[in-house]
Amino acid sequence: MADKLKFAVIGGGSWATAIAKMLCVNQKEICWYMRNEVAIDHLKSYKHNPNYLSSVEFDTSKLVLTSDINEAIQYADYLIFAIPSAFLEGELSKITVPLKDKIIFSAIKGIVPETSLIVGEHFHIQYDIPYYNIGVITGPCHAEEVALERLSYLTIACGDPDKAKKVAENLSGNYIKAKISDDIIGTEYAAMLKNIYSIAAGIAHGLGYGDNFQSVIMSNAIREMKKFIKKVHKMKRNINDSAYLGDLLVTGYSIFSRNRMFGNMIGKGYTVKSAMMEMSMVAEGYYAVKSAYKLNQGYGAKTPIIDAVYQILYEGKEAKAVFKKLTEELD
């Protein structure tokens, strides 16, 4: 059954590379779009992505590599987008072939800056893709641990459970366990929000706060996440499930978390610009906090952690002073 479906991965970063690795276990062939032609040539010659997860070796006979996004779209039934949300619309603007009949799964953990929408909503509103053809791939799962073939878990959410099952089947393997969910909106917002809380955890670490305070931030963050998501999309969900709490914890604590790394640099006194220049990967939470903060002006959820990160990153307030005030608001 797996081989009857055609998949294309859109993106050339670490998460796209990890997804391509997972799919190659179950598919005879996949299409992989990345805009960097030098990386494609390197992959063809040396069997690994030169820029991300370079330890992962691919059987290139299974890869249809292209720098033309339209070729990837025409090839596949299922499109998995795994590019930073800040660059999504720029890539979508290159599309000249129909998207309407494609099944789109987002592995992007952020908000599209041009519309302030999560990716699923962006595809639905801007490109008229029906919700039953849109899905989300969330963790807790770091690309680096997929590369190391360490046991990892995925949650696949879609309005159509059959499509979610098909994606779950094609991503599952000896070290990947995938389950399905019908909470497409909630899981995608959780994936976006946990990056903001990870930046907060990183800032705390950079300022010299210890593990005790980190645990307080995380316990407050999951409650804050619950309040925010409930305002956005009210339905029955268990916020302690892996897609919400598990993904939050791994992003807040892991050495592989780029958002935590970014926050740590801010806490140590880096400017936003200098921290971004030093990092080789995009910290999605930087873009997400602005959108989440503005969205919440309408929702009115109590979000002291989001507010604190926004004040530091966008209002230029001193991290030390903001966090001193935040310690009085958390419990």
Side-chain angles (χ1 to χ4, degrees), residues 145-152 175-176 256:
E145 293 208 346
V146 174
L148 295 167
E149 299 192 357
R150 291 177 178 170
L151 182 61
S152 302
Y175 56 92
I176 300 292
F256 295 125

Side-chain angles (χ1 to χ4, degrees), residues 110-267:
I111 281 185
V112 183
E114 291 85 351
T115 58
S116 293
L117 298 170
I118 54 173
V119 176
E121 291 175 333
H122 185 80
F123 274 109
H124 177 68
I125 294 170
Q126 300 296 117
Y127 293 89
D128 202 25
I129 309 295
Y131 274 122
Y132 58 78
N133 277 348
I134 297 172
V136 181
I137 300 169
T138 65
C141 186
H142 277 307
E144 291 81 0
E145 293 208 346
V146 174
L148 295 167
E149 299 192 357
R150 291 177 178 170
L151 182 61
S152 302
Y153 290 72
L154 295 172
T155 300
I156 316 299
C158 185
D160 183 339
D162 289 334
K163 291 173 181 135
K165 285 178 186 175
K166 284 170 182 164
V167 172
E169 287 169 4
N170 279 278
L171 291 175
S172 296
N174 291 335
Y175 56 92
I176 300 292
K177 296 184 181 296
K179 69 173 188 176
I180 68 168
S181 168
D182 61 351
D183 185 15
I184 179 173
I185 302 295
T187 52
E188 191 166 4
Y189 268 100
M192 176 270 290
L193 291 168
K194 54 97 178 179
N195 287 332
I196 301 171
Y197 300 130
S198 179
I199 290 177
I203 293 173
H205 185 267
L207 288 169
Y209 290 91
D211 291 343
N212 292 339
F213 183 64
Q214 174 110 336
S215 68
V216 171
I217 280 203
M218 290 293 102
S219 62
N220 277 265
I222 193 62
R223 283 175 277 160
E224 185 171 305
M225 179 188 287
K226 182 178 181 179
K227 292 172 187 172
F228 189 104
I229 296 175
K230 190 175 181 180
K231 291 278 188 181
V232 176
H233 182 60
K234 190 174 182 179
M235 67 171 283
K236 187 177 180 181
R237 62 173 63 87
N238 184 353
I239 203 71
N240 295 320
D241 280 353
S242 295
Y244 314 97
L245 178 59
D247 209 5
L248 169 66
L249 292 177
V250 75
T251 310
Y253 285 113
S254 176
I255 59 171
F256 295 125
S257 171
R258 67 194 71 173
N259 289 284
R260 179 183 164 84
M261 183 191 306
F262 176 73
N264 186 50
M265 294 167 77
I266 297 296

Side-chain angles (χ1 to χ4, degrees), residues 3 94 212 239 243 249 268 271 287 323:
D3 290 333
K94 301 174 185 176
N212 292 339
I239 203 71
L249 292 177
K268 288 183 180 296
T271 65
Y287 302 100
F323 263 66

